Amino acid sequence: MECPTCQRSITIPEGGVNAIPQNLHLGFEVEVAGYISKIGSDGEKSCDACIDGSTGPAVVFCCTCHHLLCKPSHDHHKHNKILQHHQMVGLDKESLPSITKPITKRFCSQPDHEKEELEYYCETCQLLTCGDCLHKDHRTNELTEAFDANDKMAEQVGTSRENATRIITQAFEQLHQTVVERKKALLSHVEAISLSKTTALALQKEQLMKMQDEIYRYTEMISLILQTRVCNRFSGFVG
């Protein structure tokens, strides 16, 4: 099949013509042309947001929602935190040329992603998506492999951290136990030396006291012998 845009021959994939990737730029141009035709048509235009149109005709076009809005709906946009950033264009013909610039920015319709621009195309879903949705719900095979590899590496890092923490903790516990045991052994050694020295000093003191008693006893005996000899000599002189 020949492409009408680039004139190149392409092979029709499984699924037929509908499975051929769309020309997003051309599709966008067609969509913008449709909006301009809708806005530029004569007569009053009804509000796309209101059910019965009782609030009045449309006065602006929301380039983010791609809807015609009446004044109450416009006011609701301006006072809503989620919608207030939407870009509005008047419905006068002078404003039509400016519609193509703001409409080039499309925003995600998923909750909490309203301020995220549609910047990526998911080939699997064939949908435009924002960065948050791309990482969450639109992972292509390459991205899936990359995310899986990242998750695996993160898991390995966590496991390595746990192993390192366990090894370090065990090492410090063993070191602490070794220090405690060494401290206990040193204190026991000091206690044994102290007891040995105290016992030796007590025994030495006891021996000194015995020697002192022996000296006193021998001193008294010598003194008694000397007194006896003196008395005997004195008795001889007298007789």
Side-chain angles (χ1 to χ4, degrees):
M1 178 178 178
E2 190 175 83
C3 175
T5 303
C6 64
Q7 305 300 317
R8 294 177 59 186
S9 297
I10 59 173
T11 302
I12 299 177
E14 295 182 4
V17 178
N18 293 331
I20 298 176
Q22 297 180 3
N23 187 324
L24 298 180
H25 177 72
L26 181 60
F28 168 73
E29 293 294 338
V30 172
E31 188 176 354
V32 170
Y35 291 139
I36 293 178
S37 175
K38 180 178 180 181
I39 296 172
S41 60
D42 296 331
E44 291 187 349
K45 302 163 187 68
S46 60
C47 178
D48 294 330
C50 295
I51 298 177
D52 54 6
S54 60
T55 55
V59 294
V60 294
F61 176 75
C62 178
C63 296
T64 306
C65 296
H66 307 159
H67 290 150
L68 292 166
L69 301 176
C70 62
K71 188 176 184 308
S73 297
H74 182 208
D75 292 339
H76 174 69
H77 263 59
K78 291 189 296 183
H79 295 91
N80 187 292
K81 289 183 178 181
I82 299 176
L83 306 177
Q84 63 181 355
H85 69 284
H86 289 193
Q87 300 184 40
M88 305 294 172
V89 173
L91 300 185
D92 54 287
K93 294 185 178 180
E94 289 76 11
S95 300
L96 292 182
S98 65
I99 191 175
T100 58
K101 185 175 182 180
I103 205 173
T104 56
K105 289 187 176 182
R106 299 185 178 186
F107 296 88
C108 185
S109 60
Q110 297 299 318
D112 301 326
H113 297 177
E114 289 83 355
K115 294 184 179 181
E116 299 294 330
E117 294 184 25
L118 297 176
E119 300 178 319
Y120 303 95
Y121 178 73
C122 176
E123 293 183 355
T124 304
C125 302
Q126 296 187 356
L127 293 173
L128 291 173
T129 176
C130 70
D132 291 345
C133 288
L134 177 68
H135 295 302
K136 181 180 179 182
D137 301 319
H138 296 274
R139 299 184 179 182
T140 62
N141 291 335
E142 293 79 5
L143 283 176
T144 299
E145 293 177 359
F147 277 109
D148 289 343
N150 181 272
D151 294 340
K152 186 176 181 179
M153 291 180 63
E155 183 179 353
Q156 291 176 350
V157 169
T159 302
S160 299
R161 178 182 61 81
E162 293 176 358
N163 291 336
T165 301
R166 177 175 52 80
I167 293 173
I168 293 173
T169 301
Q170 290 178 352
F172 273 90
E173 288 177 352
Q174 293 175 355
L175 179 61
H176 176 72
Q177 184 64 27
T178 302
V179 171
V180 170
E181 292 176 356
R182 183 58 178 166
K183 175 184 176 183
K184 184 178 180 180
L186 289 174
L187 290 176
S188 298
H189 183 64
V190 170
E191 186 67 22
I193 293 175
S194 176
L195 180 61
S196 176
K197 294 293 184 182
T198 302
T199 302
L201 290 173
L203 180 60
Q204 185 179 19
K205 182 178 181 181
E206 183 179 355
Q207 292 175 349
L208 289 173
M209 291 180 67
K210 287 181 179 181
M211 291 177 62
Q212 183 181 24
D213 292 341
E214 289 291 328
I215 292 173
Y216 285 156
R217 187 168 62 83
Y218 284 118
T219 301
E220 289 179 354
M221 289 177 61
I222 293 171
S223 177
L224 181 60
I225 292 172
L226 291 175
Q227 288 179 2
T228 302
R229 289 182 178 181
V230 171
C231 289
N232 290 336
R233 288 183 179 182
F234 182 76
S235 298
F237 286 127
V238 174

